[in-house]
Amino acid sequence: MLSFVEENYLKAIYHLSEAGKRPVNTNALAEEMKTAPASVSDMIKRLSEKRMVDYQKYRGVNISEKGKIKALHVIRQHRIWKVFLVEKLNFQWDQLDEVAEQLEHIKSPLLFQRLDEFLGFPKFDPHGDPIPDENGQLIEKRKDPIAQLPVGTASIVVGVNGSSASFLKYLDKVGISIGTRLQIVDRMEFDGSVDITIDGKKTITISPTVAENILLSEA
Amino acid sequence: MLSFVEENYLKAIYHLSEAGKRPVNTNALAEEMKTAPASVSDMIKRLSEKRMVDYQKYRGVNISEKGKIKALHVIRQHRIWKVFLVEKLNFQWDQLDEVAEQLEHIKSPLLFQRLDEFLGFPKFDPHGDPIPDENGQLIEKRKDPIAQLPVGTASIVVGVNGSSASFLKYLDKVGISIGTRLQIVDRMEFDGSVDITIDGKKTITISPTVAENILLSEA
DNA sequence: ATTATTATTTCGATTAATCTAAATATTTTA
DNA sequence: TAAAATATTTAGATTAATCGAAATAATAAT
Ligand SMILES: [Mn+2]
Ligand SMILES: [Mn+2]
Ligand SMILES: [Mn+2]
Ligand SMILES: [Mn+2]
């Protein structure tokens, strides 16, 4: 059984390695975990003994298959709780992480089974991030920024890049959130501004920066 | 900030002292916490330094005002989660404690505020135990076993003594749960068996033992 | 009032998680 | 390629939580 701390490390390693694609170095992990590099060295040794990571000193750490499954399990629980907090308890986006970071460590398969059912088996969390299934399978849909899609595209908002308060407030104001249907109606060649229609109702112009940071689903 | 373990100890001290009425001795606490008495001595010292308990060695431990408030806070959270698990996730009684023991330690005033609201500000948990308010106030209603109430009494089931699986299964079978309305229609003098009407529908006879273990509200 | 029994505390260790400072390895730069 | 800079690990402590064994205090029995 992994401790809360070990689970948090695994999750960080998973994310920093981009799902296991590249090794993670000690300082990056120390920064992510807000601990001293020395503490990271210690913890990596522990995780290595538990076969959760592959590790050769000075070479960085790679998550193992076993570790990846565990990490995805925690990520699943994290995201399911987020859905609950937003859908049922009306949490704001910026209040989510602090609580989900705690709730994700609750040990009870039954709880998550029932919670998942209660929420209608959601596939994406409130940020548009996909929820892994019980086996750690991620059905990652491609997400493309508006800026990279052709005029005429009509699709669903599945995520945003970054999460600055001012950007989220802007989205709120113009009426865009996860699940909103957008259509790209025009693109200004001179600066990349885009006209979009929101939910088939009103049409607004968004800046190139905004177009870069709103992600639409491929289908 | 108290650790999970400290919170669990405080709760145990609160319960074993019957809400602070009497001191708790080391062995009783060790048994309750399933630890060695030596560990209890250590922990009591820690809690005493934090002014959560009053302690003189060999004299037992008394919960302090500060400690009582903290304990009631944890108890509140424990019971609110139980309501959630039963009402929203359809947990059985015997599956509750393991999960609630974990969830009760989540640190987030906002979460409990919202959860309380989501559940409609429940006053009692699924076992009929009262939920303390945010200030630790307990509006404890008297609970009387059927065996001690006069014939003619009509009232609501607010709790049961004990929680053996077979007893709970029996209650389930005859259709009695927290909130069920019962009327005492007759009592056999020779053995104390009682005839009760359930929800104004069917009338059944319960044994003296059962009559001793079903608790009705005073009002 | 001793003695025996029981309860409690202290002592000394262990494990998990953390830190600072020092040592060592790797990488970069000149 | 040797020195300088950076990254990482090791060494040695600390704190929380736990334990078994030994010492001590309190209580009960003779
Ligand atoms: Mn070390
Ligand atoms: Mn976490
Ligand atoms: Mn000690
Ligand atoms: Mn607990």
PDB file of all heavy atoms in Angstrom, chain A residues 25-27 41 55 57, chain D residues 7-12:
ATOM      1  N   ASN A  25      14.183  14.466 -14.014  1.00  0.00           N
ATOM      2  CA  ASN A  25      15.355  14.689 -13.178  1.00  0.00           C
ATOM      3  C   ASN A  25      14.974  15.223 -11.799  1.00  0.00           C
ATOM      4  O   ASN A  25      13.881  15.725 -11.584  1.00  0.00           O
ATOM      5  CB  ASN A  25      16.394  15.559 -13.886  1.00  0.00           C
ATOM      6  CG  ASN A  25      15.828  16.876 -14.338  1.00  0.00           C
ATOM      7  OD1 ASN A  25      14.635  16.967 -14.635  1.00  0.00           O
ATOM      8  ND2 ASN A  25      16.645  17.891 -14.388  1.00  0.00           N
ATOM      9  N   THR A  26      15.903  15.040 -10.900  1.00  0.00           N
ATOM     10  CA  THR A  26      15.654  15.281  -9.480  1.00  0.00           C
ATOM     11  C   THR A  26      15.185  16.698  -9.177  1.00  0.00           C
ATOM     12  O   THR A  26      14.217  16.899  -8.437  1.00  0.00           O
ATOM     13  CB  THR A  26      16.937  14.979  -8.699  1.00  0.00           C
ATOM     14  OG1 THR A  26      17.304  13.626  -8.955  1.00  0.00           O
ATOM     15  CG2 THR A  26      16.718  15.160  -7.212  1.00  0.00           C
ATOM     16  N   ASN A  27      15.837  17.670  -9.753  1.00  0.00           N
ATOM     17  CA  ASN A  27      15.471  19.052  -9.436  1.00  0.00           C
ATOM     18  C   ASN A  27      14.074  19.409  -9.919  1.00  0.00           C
ATOM     19  O   ASN A  27      13.346  20.120  -9.221  1.00  0.00           O
ATOM     20  CB  ASN A  27      16.493  20.025 -10.042  1.00  0.00           C
ATOM     21  CG  ASN A  27      17.690  20.189  -9.131  1.00  0.00           C
ATOM     22  OD1 ASN A  27      17.741  19.619  -8.041  1.00  0.00           O
ATOM     23  ND2 ASN A  27      18.661  20.969  -9.571  1.00  0.00           N
ATOM     24  N   SER A  41      15.736  12.481  -3.728  1.00  0.00           N
ATOM     25  CA  SER A  41      16.644  11.338  -3.875  1.00  0.00           C
ATOM     26  C   SER A  41      16.215  10.201  -2.961  1.00  0.00           C
ATOM     27  O   SER A  41      16.158   9.029  -3.375  1.00  0.00           O
ATOM     28  CB  SER A  41      18.074  11.753  -3.534  1.00  0.00           C
ATOM     29  OG  SER A  41      18.636  12.500  -4.582  1.00  0.00           O
ATOM     30  N   TYR A  55      15.264   3.371 -11.860  1.00  0.00           N
ATOM     31  CA  TYR A  55      16.140   4.455 -11.426  1.00  0.00           C
ATOM     32  C   TYR A  55      17.606   4.035 -11.469  1.00  0.00           C
ATOM     33  O   TYR A  55      17.977   2.982 -10.958  1.00  0.00           O
ATOM     34  CB  TYR A  55      15.741   4.853  -9.998  1.00  0.00           C
ATOM     35  CG  TYR A  55      16.672   5.829  -9.348  1.00  0.00           C
ATOM     36  CD1 TYR A  55      16.942   7.068  -9.930  1.00  0.00           C
ATOM     37  CD2 TYR A  55      17.277   5.521  -8.140  1.00  0.00           C
ATOM     38  CE1 TYR A  55      17.802   7.965  -9.317  1.00  0.00           C
ATOM     39  CE2 TYR A  55      18.134   6.415  -7.514  1.00  0.00           C
ATOM     40  CZ  TYR A  55      18.392   7.630  -8.123  1.00  0.00           C
ATOM     41  OH  TYR A  55      19.240   8.515  -7.515  1.00  0.00           O
ATOM     42  N   LYS A  57      21.231   6.132 -10.602  1.00  0.00           N
ATOM     43  CA  LYS A  57      21.535   7.458 -10.085  1.00  0.00           C
ATOM     44  C   LYS A  57      22.249   8.342 -11.102  1.00  0.00           C
ATOM     45  O   LYS A  57      22.979   7.851 -11.955  1.00  0.00           O
ATOM     46  CB  LYS A  57      22.262   7.433  -8.748  1.00  0.00           C
ATOM     47  CG  LYS A  57      23.302   6.412  -8.523  1.00  0.00           C
ATOM     48  CD  LYS A  57      23.871   6.645  -7.112  1.00  0.00           C
ATOM     49  CE  LYS A  57      24.627   5.429  -6.613  1.00  0.00           C
ATOM     50  NZ  LYS A  57      25.396   5.747  -5.399  1.00  0.00           N
TER      51      LYS A  57
ATOM     52  P    DA D   7      21.248  23.032 -12.725  1.00  0.00           P
ATOM     53  OP1  DA D   7      20.250  23.147 -13.812  1.00  0.00           O
ATOM     54  OP2  DA D   7      21.081  23.730 -11.424  1.00  0.00           O
ATOM     55  O5'  DA D   7      21.450  21.483 -12.393  1.00  0.00           O
ATOM     56  C5'  DA D   7      22.041  20.619 -13.336  1.00  0.00           C
ATOM     57  C4'  DA D   7      22.154  19.240 -12.710  1.00  0.00           C
ATOM     58  O4'  DA D   7      23.311  19.209 -11.843  1.00  0.00           O
ATOM     59  C3'  DA D   7      20.962  18.848 -11.851  1.00  0.00           C
ATOM     60  O3'  DA D   7      20.557  17.558 -12.301  1.00  0.00           O
ATOM     61  C2'  DA D   7      21.480  18.873 -10.413  1.00  0.00           C
ATOM     62  C1'  DA D   7      22.983  18.657 -10.588  1.00  0.00           C
ATOM     63  N9   DA D   7      23.849  19.335  -9.620  1.00  0.00           N
ATOM     64  C8   DA D   7      23.839  20.646  -9.277  1.00  0.00           C
ATOM     65  N7   DA D   7      24.769  20.996  -8.396  1.00  0.00           N
ATOM     66  C5   DA D   7      25.435  19.809  -8.159  1.00  0.00           C
ATOM     67  C6   DA D   7      26.531  19.494  -7.319  1.00  0.00           C
ATOM     68  N6   DA D   7      27.165  20.390  -6.549  1.00  0.00           N
ATOM     69  N1   DA D   7      26.964  18.218  -7.304  1.00  0.00           N
ATOM     70  C2   DA D   7      26.345  17.320  -8.080  1.00  0.00           C
ATOM     71  N3   DA D   7      25.306  17.491  -8.910  1.00  0.00           N
ATOM     72  C4   DA D   7      24.894  18.772  -8.902  1.00  0.00           C
ATOM     73  P    DT D   8      19.426  16.716 -11.580  1.00  0.00           P
ATOM     74  OP1  DT D   8      18.921  15.735 -12.566  1.00  0.00           O
ATOM     75  OP2  DT D   8      18.512  17.640 -10.894  1.00  0.00           O
ATOM     76  O5'  DT D   8      20.236  15.918 -10.472  1.00  0.00           O
ATOM     77  C5'  DT D   8      21.228  15.002 -10.886  1.00  0.00           C
ATOM     78  C4'  DT D   8      21.853  14.364  -9.671  1.00  0.00           C
ATOM     79  O4'  DT D   8      22.601  15.347  -8.942  1.00  0.00           O
ATOM     80  C3'  DT D   8      20.855  13.788  -8.681  1.00  0.00           C
ATOM     81  O3'  DT D   8      20.974  12.381  -8.763  1.00  0.00           O
ATOM     82  C2'  DT D   8      21.259  14.372  -7.323  1.00  0.00           C
ATOM     83  C1'  DT D   8      22.641  14.941  -7.595  1.00  0.00           C
ATOM     84  N1   DT D   8      23.036  16.139  -6.792  1.00  0.00           N
ATOM     85  C2   DT D   8      24.130  16.075  -5.987  1.00  0.00           C
ATOM     86  O2   DT D   8      24.817  15.069  -5.870  1.00  0.00           O
ATOM     87  N3   DT D   8      24.429  17.224  -5.295  1.00  0.00           N
ATOM     88  C4   DT D   8      23.734  18.414  -5.351  1.00  0.00           C
ATOM     89  O4   DT D   8      24.094  19.378  -4.691  1.00  0.00           O
ATOM     90  C5   DT D   8      22.585  18.429  -6.214  1.00  0.00           C
ATOM     91  C7   DT D   8      21.749  19.674  -6.339  1.00  0.00           C
ATOM     92  C6   DT D   8      22.289  17.307  -6.884  1.00  0.00           C
ATOM     93  P    DT D   9      20.181  11.397  -7.789  1.00  0.00           P
ATOM     94  OP1  DT D   9      20.025  10.113  -8.512  1.00  0.00           O
ATOM     95  OP2  DT D   9      19.016  12.074  -7.217  1.00  0.00           O
ATOM     96  O5'  DT D   9      21.262  11.183  -6.640  1.00  0.00           O
ATOM     97  C5'  DT D   9      22.557  10.736  -7.000  1.00  0.00           C
ATOM     98  C4'  DT D   9      23.453  10.729  -5.771  1.00  0.00           C
ATOM     99  O4'  DT D   9      23.625  12.074  -5.278  1.00  0.00           O
ATOM    100  C3'  DT D   9      22.915   9.916  -4.600  1.00  0.00           C
ATOM    101  O3'  DT D   9      23.915   8.966  -4.258  1.00  0.00           O
ATOM    102  C2'  DT D   9      22.660  10.940  -3.503  1.00  0.00           C
ATOM    103  C1'  DT D   9      23.618  12.054  -3.872  1.00  0.00           C
ATOM    104  N1   DT D   9      23.222  13.431  -3.446  1.00  0.00           N
ATOM    105  C2   DT D   9      24.067  14.160  -2.655  1.00  0.00           C
ATOM    106  O2   DT D   9      25.141  13.740  -2.242  1.00  0.00           O
ATOM    107  N3   DT D   9      23.627  15.432  -2.336  1.00  0.00           N
ATOM    108  C4   DT D   9      22.439  16.016  -2.750  1.00  0.00           C
ATOM    109  O4   DT D   9      22.154  17.159  -2.413  1.00  0.00           O
ATOM    110  C5   DT D   9      21.598  15.194  -3.578  1.00  0.00           C
ATOM    111  C7   DT D   9      20.283  15.723  -4.074  1.00  0.00           C
ATOM    112  C6   DT D   9      22.023  13.958  -3.884  1.00  0.00           C
ATOM    113  P    DT D  10      23.694   7.921  -3.083  1.00  0.00           P
ATOM    114  OP1  DT D  10      24.491   6.719  -3.399  1.00  0.00           O
ATOM    115  OP2  DT D  10      22.262   7.831  -2.782  1.00  0.00           O
ATOM    116  O5'  DT D  10      24.403   8.669  -1.863  1.00  0.00           O
ATOM    117  C5'  DT D  10      25.817   8.690  -1.805  1.00  0.00           C
ATOM    118  C4'  DT D  10      26.222   9.450  -0.557  1.00  0.00           C
ATOM    119  O4'  DT D  10      25.587  10.748  -0.540  1.00  0.00           O
ATOM    120  C3'  DT D  10      25.846   8.765   0.748  1.00  0.00           C
ATOM    121  O3'  DT D  10      27.038   8.711   1.519  1.00  0.00           O
ATOM    122  C2'  DT D  10      24.792   9.680   1.355  1.00  0.00           C
ATOM    123  C1'  DT D  10      25.197  11.030   0.786  1.00  0.00           C
ATOM    124  N1   DT D  10      24.157  12.108   0.672  1.00  0.00           N
ATOM    125  C2   DT D  10      24.415  13.334   1.230  1.00  0.00           C
ATOM    126  O2   DT D  10      25.437  13.598   1.843  1.00  0.00           O
ATOM    127  N3   DT D  10      23.422  14.270   1.058  1.00  0.00           N
ATOM    128  C4   DT D  10      22.223  14.089   0.386  1.00  0.00           C
ATOM    129  O4   DT D  10      21.419  15.001   0.292  1.00  0.00           O
ATOM    130  C5   DT D  10      22.017  12.775  -0.176  1.00  0.00           C
ATOM    131  C7   DT D  10      20.757  12.466  -0.910  1.00  0.00           C
ATOM    132  C6   DT D  10      22.981  11.851  -0.006  1.00  0.00           C
ATOM    133  P    DA D  11      27.096   7.815   2.815  1.00  0.00           P
ATOM    134  OP1  DA D  11      28.307   6.986   2.673  1.00  0.00           O
ATOM    135  OP2  DA D  11      25.777   7.186   3.066  1.00  0.00           O
ATOM    136  O5'  DA D  11      27.341   8.908   3.958  1.00  0.00           O
ATOM    137  C5'  DA D  11      27.861  10.179   3.627  1.00  0.00           C
ATOM    138  C4'  DA D  11      27.756  11.109   4.829  1.00  0.00           C
ATOM    139  O4'  DA D  11      26.735  12.095   4.577  1.00  0.00           O
ATOM    140  C3'  DA D  11      27.356  10.427   6.139  1.00  0.00           C
ATOM    141  O3'  DA D  11      28.105  11.005   7.190  1.00  0.00           O
ATOM    142  C2'  DA D  11      25.870  10.708   6.269  1.00  0.00           C
ATOM    143  C1'  DA D  11      25.765  12.081   5.610  1.00  0.00           C
ATOM    144  N9   DA D  11      24.471  12.341   4.977  1.00  0.00           N
ATOM    145  C8   DA D  11      23.724  11.494   4.219  1.00  0.00           C
ATOM    146  N7   DA D  11      22.611  12.014   3.762  1.00  0.00           N
ATOM    147  C5   DA D  11      22.622  13.308   4.259  1.00  0.00           C
ATOM    148  C6   DA D  11      21.720  14.378   4.123  1.00  0.00           C
ATOM    149  N6   DA D  11      20.595  14.306   3.432  1.00  0.00           N
ATOM    150  N1   DA D  11      22.031  15.534   4.750  1.00  0.00           N
ATOM    151  C2   DA D  11      23.175  15.613   5.449  1.00  0.00           C
ATOM    152  N3   DA D  11      24.102  14.670   5.643  1.00  0.00           N
ATOM    153  C4   DA D  11      23.764  13.526   5.005  1.00  0.00           C
ATOM    154  P    DG D  12      27.995  10.390   8.672  1.00  0.00           P
ATOM    155  OP1  DG D  12      29.319  10.548   9.286  1.00  0.00           O
ATOM    156  OP2  DG D  12      27.333   9.068   8.611  1.00  0.00           O
ATOM    157  O5'  DG D  12      26.997  11.417   9.392  1.00  0.00           O
ATOM    158  C5'  DG D  12      27.217  12.826   9.244  1.00  0.00           C
ATOM    159  C4'  DG D  12      26.087  13.568   9.905  1.00  0.00           C
ATOM    160  O4'  DG D  12      24.949  13.646   8.993  1.00  0.00           O
ATOM    161  C3'  DG D  12      25.555  12.860  11.166  1.00  0.00           C
ATOM    162  O3'  DG D  12      25.237  13.857  12.122  1.00  0.00           O
ATOM    163  C2'  DG D  12      24.321  12.134  10.656  1.00  0.00           C
ATOM    164  C1'  DG D  12      23.804  13.166   9.662  1.00  0.00           C
ATOM    165  N9   DG D  12      22.841  12.692   8.669  1.00  0.00           N
ATOM    166  C8   DG D  12      22.730  11.442   8.109  1.00  0.00           C
ATOM    167  N7   DG D  12      21.741  11.346   7.259  1.00  0.00           N
ATOM    168  C5   DG D  12      21.163  12.618   7.261  1.00  0.00           C
ATOM    169  C6   DG D  12      20.050  13.129   6.541  1.00  0.00           C
ATOM    170  O6   DG D  12      19.333  12.553   5.729  1.00  0.00           O
ATOM    171  N1   DG D  12      19.807  14.462   6.853  1.00  0.00           N
ATOM    172  C2   DG D  12      20.545  15.205   7.730  1.00  0.00           C
ATOM    173  N2   DG D  12      20.161  16.458   7.909  1.00  0.00           N
ATOM    174  N3   DG D  12      21.585  14.740   8.412  1.00  0.00           N
ATOM    175  C4   DG D  12      21.827  13.446   8.127  1.00  0.00           C
TER     176       DG D  12
END
